[in-house]
Amino acid sequence: SYVLTQPPSVSVAPGQTARITCGGSNIGSESVHWYQQKPGQAPLLVVYDDSDRPSGIPERFSGSSSGNTATLTISRVEAGDEADYYCQIWDGSSDLQVFGGGTKLTVL
Amino acid sequence: VQLVESGGGVVQPGRSLRLSCAASGFTFSMYAMHWVRQTPGKGLEWVTLISYDGAKKYYAESVKGRFTISRDNSKSTLYLQMDSLRTEDTAVYYCAREIRDGYNYGGSDYWGQGTLVAVSS
């Protein structure tokens, strides 16, 4: 089955740029979605279809995908961005939704 | 859009439980729906998907043959029947709306707050 690999943790200072990667075989040919989850809350979709933002999500959140890596980029990081972030695809060959293991973003 | 799960609780291994997800604020019958679970302190795990009309259902290998997803579009309600529960099924269960239409699938744009299922003797 398809596997998505994320780093367990990423740390960044306020105002800097955070980049969270998601590795998968030829992931550039898939549609990648990203979720933010804060403690005690449900996941929140922050990027869909590689690089689109749902309404209400700040422009500071952006995504890209190419080759074997998809990336969620958070510009001008704020303390409120501290959360777990998950990448996800729909694996059409197996008819399964697949999540990455999640990355904990720490704002220093 | 609002999704409200119910039906969670403590159950013994081998027993059954049925979760419900009441939807409002959108035309429920137009959207496929997912169940996703999360073991406390762990990551997200997709469980199952049902198409907008209930005609197609997909399951993770970990629950195939034990869990059954269904929906009642007249009541705007999604269900998850969980049989032969195991301790490893302990998790918060979320219902979530599929972002694509028709029989196309991708991610989830709205999520409920989740309901906790604890399987323990």
Side-chain angles (χ1 to χ4, degrees), chain A residues 5-10 19-21 34 83-87 100-105:
Chain A
T5 301
Q6 298 182 238
S9 63
V10 168
R19 293 180 179 85
I20 299 173
T21 59
W34 290 90
D84 294 326
Y85 291 85
Y86 296 89
C87 59
T103 298
K104 180 176 180 59
L105 176 67

Side-chain angles (χ1 to χ4, degrees), chain A residues 14-99:
Chain A
Q16 298 303 303
T17 297
R19 293 180 179 85
I20 299 173
T21 59
C22 177
S25 179
N26 199 26
I27 196 173
S29 66
E30 307 289 344
S31 289
V32 182
H33 316 286
W34 290 90
Y35 303 88
Q36 175 194 71
Q37 187 180 33
K38 297 181 179 180
Q41 297 185 16
L44 172 71
L45 182 68
V46 293
V47 167
Y48 67 97
D49 289 346
D50 297 342
S51 59
D52 292 331
R53 275 186 315 277
S55 60
I57 301 301
E59 292 183 5
R60 300 185 298 104
F61 289 81
S62 62
S64 62
S65 183
S66 178
N68 294 319
T69 304
T71 303
L72 173 69
T73 301
I74 309 171
S75 304
R76 302 180 299 284
V77 166
E78 303 172 356
D81 298 331
E82 190 163 279
D84 294 326
Y85 291 85
Y86 296 89
C87 59
Q88 175 256 309
I89 67 158
W90 175 262
D91 180 1
S93 63
S94 304
D95 288 328
L96 302 171
Q97 191 176 72
V98 181
F99 286 94

